[in-house]
Amino acid sequence: MRDEAEAEAEVPMRIGQAVMLHRGGDRAMARERLGGLWTELGADGDAVQQCMLAHYLAGVQDDPYDALAWDLRALQAAAGVAHEPAVRGFYPALYLRLGVDYARLGRLAEARRELARAQTSAAQAGDGDFAAGVRAGIGRLAARLEAAAQ
């Protein structure tokens, strides 16, 4: 029988597998797997894992209000473990995603607020592909909001 530590260590791998399903075009299966993992993790689960899981759950939602709700859950989980290096570096992506959510919903003032937070914290993302993707996303959202203002 597996112990709790082994099960907890497996969560990031299972999140990654579901994300690969999503990137491969199977959004519904990714949503199902991530949702099942969320249920397994529970309200008392590891906050870092809750943050990551909620962030990826937001990305597989069809309804923009559902996406926003999951992204807000991710930010809430992050607030409890903001001292963790992995979470500190994730804040720019969390803010960016909230900005995108608000823009999709036509809530442009809130989208601009989250864009500013993403821009301010972008240095925390570090280097590498993830950071480059976040910075590119920040640029796209900034251009989208600028175009909406004209």
Side-chain angles (χ1 to χ4, degrees), residues 72-93:
L72 289 170
R73 281 185 190 112
L75 188 61
Q76 181 181 14
V81 287
H83 62 281
E84 296 280 340
V87 174
R88 257 195 327 268
F90 205 54
Y91 268 98

Side-chain angles (χ1 to χ4, degrees), residues 6-7 23 26 32 49 53 60 62-63 66 71 77-79 99-100 138:
E6 288 175 340
R23 290 182 181 156
D26 198 344
E32 181 180 320
Q49 291 179 350
L53 184 54
V60 295
D62 294 327
D63 184 300
D66 291 339
D71 279 326
V100 170
I138 289 170

